[in-house]
Amino acid sequence: MDSNGKTNILGLTREQLEDFAEAIGESRYRGRQLFEWLYTRRATSFDGMTNLGKSTRSQLSRSAVIRGINLVQQSFSRRDGTTKLLFELADGLKIESVLIPPATSFRDTGRQQDDEQSRLTLCVSTQVGCPLDCKFCATGTMGFFRNLTTGEIVDQVLQVKRLTAKSPTNIVFMGMGEPMLNYDNVMNAAGIMATGTGIALKRMTVSTAGRPDRIRQMGDENRRVKLAVSLHSAVDATRSTLMPINRKFPLDQLLDAIEYYYAKTRRRVTYEYIFFDGVNDTERELKALIKFARHVPCKINVIPYHSIAFTGKRTSDLPFTPSPRVEQCVRELRAHHLTAMVRSNAGDDIDAACGQLAVRLSRQPRPVVHPSS
Ligand code: SAH
């Protein structure tokens, strides 16, 4: 509910819009029409909703608003065509999304699948900041502010569709934040995007630092979005140093949940892995990774380490440097019959690559402490 007593309908699912229509004395069919106006035709006001009739439209303006997010800045990488978008939310907080053009997602083009050539990927944020504090990630340095609403997640896609002639073909929930800590809004947003904007659920990927409970829930609900897990080490001691969440949910719990998810869905899982020099690129680490990856059918996405020095962290705070042995490690994984792809560093010249999304702290109020991190 808005401060003026009106409901912000941007972000309501089709069923919620049907309920809303009924609540204001209209038919449920009107709710389905609203769904199409909001998400397929991307209406920003009630005036243009011509098939609704004048009295319905004035009733809507009395009881509802369509309040989205505002684009405040765009940065474009001349090198690879990646665009970073900065949005302001209604409460003044800011988030970023990244649009990654075709054929730039992977470095080893020889191994690209055909559809890579036409793939336009939008990387969306799910939280303002992030509470997980992974030691190599820029977003972590911002602290955590709040979860995004369903509408704020969906509107990142709607805004991009308004901006560009070509529509995104793939959505990755890999921007700021941990999607599994905002599970309901993320899944609602995915559902709305699939029905409203025509991007199939199987072309959406939810990436998590590893919440076993939510991974199981995705299995139980047989979610059709893809699951990616930011692994970064298959050795508990190492992973706990890199990702504090591993202390709460160690690898055996994570793997149990992944096996459960696979048994329920039969969907291949993606593991994200950044090779850090001398940390998780050793023989022992590779052995552990190979063992871990053998449990369910998977794909390993190797992400180059992108600098987060721009966040103002002193270099002494950042003990990690990119591994010089990436190619060697990838060869070894492939030799063990694992699918491993090296992602490109698309967007790193504009600080828009994986893990580089952080809005300057001076522009944000103070973060809050998140209870469930
Ligand atoms: N919280 C979710 C999604 C956001 S992060 C998750 O952890 O999966 C998206 C991806 O970027 C993750 O795989 C994350 O590990 C990776 N990443 C974070 N910091 C990075 C950096 N500095 N360089 C490269 N990748 C990074």
Side-chain angles (χ1 to χ4, degrees):
M1 198 69 84
D2 218 52
S3 50
N4 54 11
K6 296 183 183 183
T7 303
N8 180 19
I9 59 169
L10 189 70
L12 296 189
T13 61
R14 188 145 62 172
E15 208 182 357
Q16 288 168 336
L17 283 168
E18 287 172 349
D19 292 344
F20 173 76
E22 216 165 48
I24 62 165
E26 298 283 340
S27 65
R28 294 185 75 77
Y29 175 68
R30 288 275 180 255
R32 293 196 286 281
Q33 285 180 309
L34 276 176
F35 185 91
E36 198 194 323
W37 276 113
L38 287 176
Y39 308 120
T40 311
R41 306 206 207 187
R42 302 189 296 279
T44 51
S45 75
F46 299 115
D47 307 336
M49 301 184 176
T50 42
N51 61 354
L52 290 188
K54 235 181 165 166
S55 70
T56 307
R57 274 183 278 155
S58 59
Q59 164 69 322
L60 279 169
S61 10
R62 278 195 302 276
S63 49
V65 286
I66 304 171
R67 198 187 47 237
I69 58 179
N70 286 319
L71 180 67
V72 288
Q73 200 182 312
Q74 270 191 76
S75 335
F76 181 73
S77 161
R78 274 174 221 260
R79 206 192 57 204
D80 57 45
T82 296
T83 306
K84 183 164 77 168
L85 306 158
L86 178 70
F87 293 106
E88 187 169 54
L89 313 176
D91 57 5
L93 290 171
K94 295 194 180 76
I95 54 157
E96 290 173 325
S97 320
V98 181
L99 190 63
I100 307 152
T104 52
S105 299
F106 291 97
R107 189 188 277 169
D108 38 359
T109 45
R111 295 179 68 90
Q112 275 173 11
Q113 289 135 11
D114 287 348
D115 76 344
E116 177 68 14
Q117 300 306 322
S118 55
R119 186 185 296 186
L120 185 61
T121 303
L122 181 66
C123 175
V124 297
S125 291
T126 57
Q127 298 184 311
V128 187
C130 183
L132 295 184
D133 198 27
C134 298
K135 297 305 171 197
F136 45 84
C137 177
T139 311
T141 65
M142 289 173 62
F144 174 72
F145 294 84
R146 67 170 173 86
N147 278 338
L148 295 189
T149 62
T150 304
E152 287 165 340
I153 299 172
V154 171
D155 206 25
Q156 295 172 60
V157 183
L158 300 180
Q159 298 261 0
V160 165
K161 287 188 95 152
R162 260 181 225 120
L163 269 172
T164 59
K166 284 196 201 129
S167 285
T169 58
N170 293 61
I171 305 285
V172 293
F173 294 89
M174 293 186 191
M176 289 178 180
E178 167 53 45
M180 297 298 199
L181 294 177
N182 190 12
Y183 185 89
D184 292 341
N185 285 319
V186 166
M187 292 303 165
N188 276 345
I192 290 172
M193 288 180 225
T195 319
T197 73
I199 304 167
L201 286 167
K202 63 175 187 214
R203 288 181 161 269
M204 299 183 198
T205 303
V206 173
S207 177
T208 177
R211 285 282 304 217
D213 49 345
R214 297 305 194 187
I215 293 172
R216 283 170 186 272
Q217 189 175 350
M218 272 180 77
D220 285 332
E221 296 168 353
N222 195 14
R223 295 284 174 182
R224 278 177 290 150
V225 289
K226 286 195 216 156
L227 173 67
V229 177
S230 298
L231 189 59
H232 304 313
S233 173
V235 174
D236 269 318
T238 313
R239 193 165 191 268
S240 295
T241 320
L242 294 167
M243 307 172 74
I245 192 179
N246 193 70
R247 289 183 208 135
K248 202 162 172 188
F249 304 108
L251 286 158
D252 56 346
Q253 286 184 34
L254 181 60
L255 187 55
D256 271 357
I258 292 169
E259 286 182 318
Y260 180 87
Y261 167 85
Y262 183 77
K264 289 262 173 180
T265 64
R266 298 277 148 196
R267 271 182 252 284
R268 185 157 88 144
V269 175
T270 298
Y271 297 123
E272 289 146 308
Y273 205 103
I274 308 167
F275 285 107
F276 297 106
D277 190 16
V279 176
N280 59 358
D281 63 346
T282 60
E283 271 310 308
R284 175 170 171 251
E285 289 277 339
L286 269 184
K287 235 185 198 163
L289 171 59
I290 291 163
K291 193 168 165 221
F292 189 96
R294 277 200 176 133
H295 284 261
V296 304
C298 70
K299 182 173 90 177
I300 299 167
N301 266 352
V302 175
I303 313 178
Y305 179 42
H306 301 122
S307 166
I308 62 164
F310 65 89
T311 58
K313 273 213 162 199
R314 279 167 295 133
T315 351
S316 54
D317 296 336
L318 302 167
F320 310 113
T321 47
S323 167
R325 288 177 290 279
V326 173
E327 303 302 327
Q328 217 172 300
C329 292
V330 168
R331 268 201 304 277
E332 190 156 338
L333 294 174
R334 288 178 184 158
H336 284 83
H337 309 291
L338 291 165
T339 307
M341 310 281 275
V342 184
R343 294 202 75 93
S344 77
N345 48 5
D348 71 341
D349 55 334
I350 54 166
D351 298 334
C354 286
Q356 289 189 315
L357 300 189
V359 178
R360 273 223 311 280
L361 297 168
S362 57
R363 281 190 252 142
Q364 304 266 20
R366 286 176 65 78
V368 296
V369 178
H370 196 266
S372 59
S373 59

